[in-house]
């Protein structure tokens, strides 16, 4: 098989971009699958960056804007999706600046209203449970989901879920967070991280898993108190 030249690789990259925007990670993966030499891939990626054909910062901004008008995903779903596309953790930290909690709440409320119309005739408990499941799959934070449901289904029973169901959901989330915390703690310690740097890396990893910021901070604060750190 003849070696793919820089010119040929560039043509392949531009054609790949003609269908839709790509992240840097997606482009590199595509060229590797086409058996393009690593040195040529590096050259092509440099040229694509110079021409602004690929820019992960712009990609993230466009993704958020499109989500605001098309998909209406919550922050957890967005983070998971963007990580799959190769957006790095450091860049993902800027997501909260691009997609405020107010924006997210409006999206959550709109999705809930749309789905609530389709649940006409069902009991209050059925509506609340189905909305809870739907909004959770869409990636909205648990606290936000409960607040939206409470507001929209106000004419029904006052509890968005029974107290036992709510306690069970919160317990499951807390247990899952604890497991992931221990996993990332071991992983980052093996890489030599300690002190504040270790906590920072764990926080980024947990954020990437879609946990609510408040819950992550509560967990890390409890761990710092346990260790007697300032």
């Amino acid at each position: 098989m003849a070696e793919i030249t820089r010119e040929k690789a560039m043509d392949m990259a531009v054609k790949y971009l003609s269908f839709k925007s790509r992240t840097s990670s997606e482009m590199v993966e595509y060229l590797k699958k086409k058996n393009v030499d690593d040195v040529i891939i590096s050259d092509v990626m440099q040229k694509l960056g110079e021409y602004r054909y690929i820019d992960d910062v712009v990609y993230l901004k466009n993704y958020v804007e499109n989500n605001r008008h098309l998909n209406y995903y919550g922050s957890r779903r967005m983070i998971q999706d963007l990580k799959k596309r190769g957006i790095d953790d450091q860049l993902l930290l800027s997501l909260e600046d691009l997609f405020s909690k107010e924006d997210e709440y409006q999206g959550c409320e709109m999705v809930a209203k749309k789905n609530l119309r389709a649940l006409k005739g069902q009991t209050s408990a059925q509506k609340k449970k189905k909305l809870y499941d739907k909004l959770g799959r869409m990636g909205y934070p648990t606290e936000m989901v409960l607040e939206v449901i409470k507001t929209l289904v106000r004419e029904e029973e006052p509890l968005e879920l029974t107290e036992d169901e709510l306690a069970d959901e919160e317990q499951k989330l807390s247990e899952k967070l604890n497991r992931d915390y221990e996993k990332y703690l071991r992983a980052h310690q093996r890489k030599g991280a300690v002190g504040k740097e270790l906590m920072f890396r764990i926080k980024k990893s947990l954020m990437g898993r879609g946990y609510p910021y408040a819950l992550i901070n509560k967990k890390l604060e409890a761990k710092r108190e346990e260790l007697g750190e300032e």
Side-chain angles (χ1 to χ4, degrees):
M1 181 180 296
E3 181 179 351
I4 298 175
T5 65
R6 285 175 174 78
E7 292 74 16
K8 176 63 175 176
M10 191 67 181
D11 289 343
M12 293 165 59
V14 172
K15 183 177 180 180
Y16 187 52
L17 288 168
S18 68
F19 298 103
K20 66 175 184 178
S21 298
R22 312 286 180 175
T23 65
S24 299
S25 178
E26 287 176 324
M27 179 58 74
V28 170
E29 183 179 357
Y30 170 75
L31 293 174
K32 283 182 177 293
K33 286 182 178 179
K34 294 297 183 179
N35 298 315
V36 179
D37 184 79
D38 287 346
V39 174
I40 293 179
I41 290 177
S42 180
D43 290 344
V44 169
M45 293 303 297
Q46 181 178 343
K47 287 296 182 184
L48 292 174
E50 291 175 0
Y51 297 150
R52 301 299 297 273
Y53 287 174
I54 283 188
D55 186 326
D56 285 353
V57 173
V58 174
Y59 184 97
L60 177 58
K61 290 179 180 178
N62 290 337
Y63 177 95
V64 171
E65 191 61 27
N66 288 336
N67 182 75
R68 198 176 271 118
H69 300 291
L70 297 174
N71 299 321
Y72 307 109
Y73 292 146
S75 56
R76 290 191 300 177
R77 176 73 176 270
M78 292 171 68
I79 288 172
Q80 292 168 358
D81 189 21
L82 288 164
K83 286 177 73 70
K84 288 179 181 178
R85 300 182 189 204
I87 298 296
D88 65 50
D89 291 340
Q90 192 63 39
L91 185 52
L92 280 174
L93 290 174
S94 67
L95 181 62
E96 191 171 10
D97 296 327
L98 299 171
F99 189 58
S100 68
K101 289 302 177 185
E102 290 76 14
D103 290 337
E104 186 169 17
Y105 189 93
Q106 289 177 4
C108 184
E109 188 176 50
M110 185 172 65
V111 172
K113 287 179 177 178
K114 179 179 178 181
N115 283 268
L116 191 58
R117 289 194 292 269
L119 298 175
K120 186 177 181 179
Q122 298 194 25
T123 66
S124 174
Q126 289 173 326
K127 291 177 182 178
K128 291 169 183 174
K129 185 63 169 68
K130 289 182 179 179
L131 284 177
Y132 183 87
D133 292 342
K134 172 67 176 181
L135 296 171
R137 289 194 300 271
M138 294 287 287
Y140 289 101
T142 301
E143 298 90 340
M144 185 177 294
V145 169
L146 295 174
E147 178 61 30
V148 167
I149 292 175
K150 180 180 179 180
T151 301
L152 294 181
V153 198
R154 66 181 64 189
E155 76 279 2
E156 306 287 356
E157 294 296 325
L159 291 177
E160 54 280 338
L161 295 174
T162 67
E163 291 187 5
D164 288 342
E165 288 173 332
L166 178 56
D168 185 53
E169 291 292 336
E170 291 178 343
Q171 180 65 24
K172 287 179 181 178
L173 184 62
S174 178
E175 291 174 354
K176 187 173 184 298
L177 174 64
N178 288 337
R179 290 194 297 270
D180 281 340
Y181 171 86
E182 295 298 332
K183 178 180 72 174
Y184 291 124
L185 174 65
R186 293 191 296 270
H188 292 307
Q189 282 179 331
R190 285 197 297 269
K191 295 178 181 178
V194 296
K196 291 183 179 180
E197 177 64 19
L198 175 60
M199 292 297 105
F200 176 70
R201 293 188 184 184
I202 293 174
K203 184 174 184 177
K204 286 202 303 180
S205 297
L206 292 173
M207 187 187 76
R209 296 289 293 173
Y211 290 105
Y213 293 111
L215 190 61
I216 294 174
N217 288 333
K218 182 179 179 181
K219 172 65 180 178
L220 296 182
E221 181 62 30
K223 183 57 63 174
R224 282 193 289 267
E225 290 180 0
E226 178 183 324
L227 297 175
E229 298 180 356
E230 292 295 331

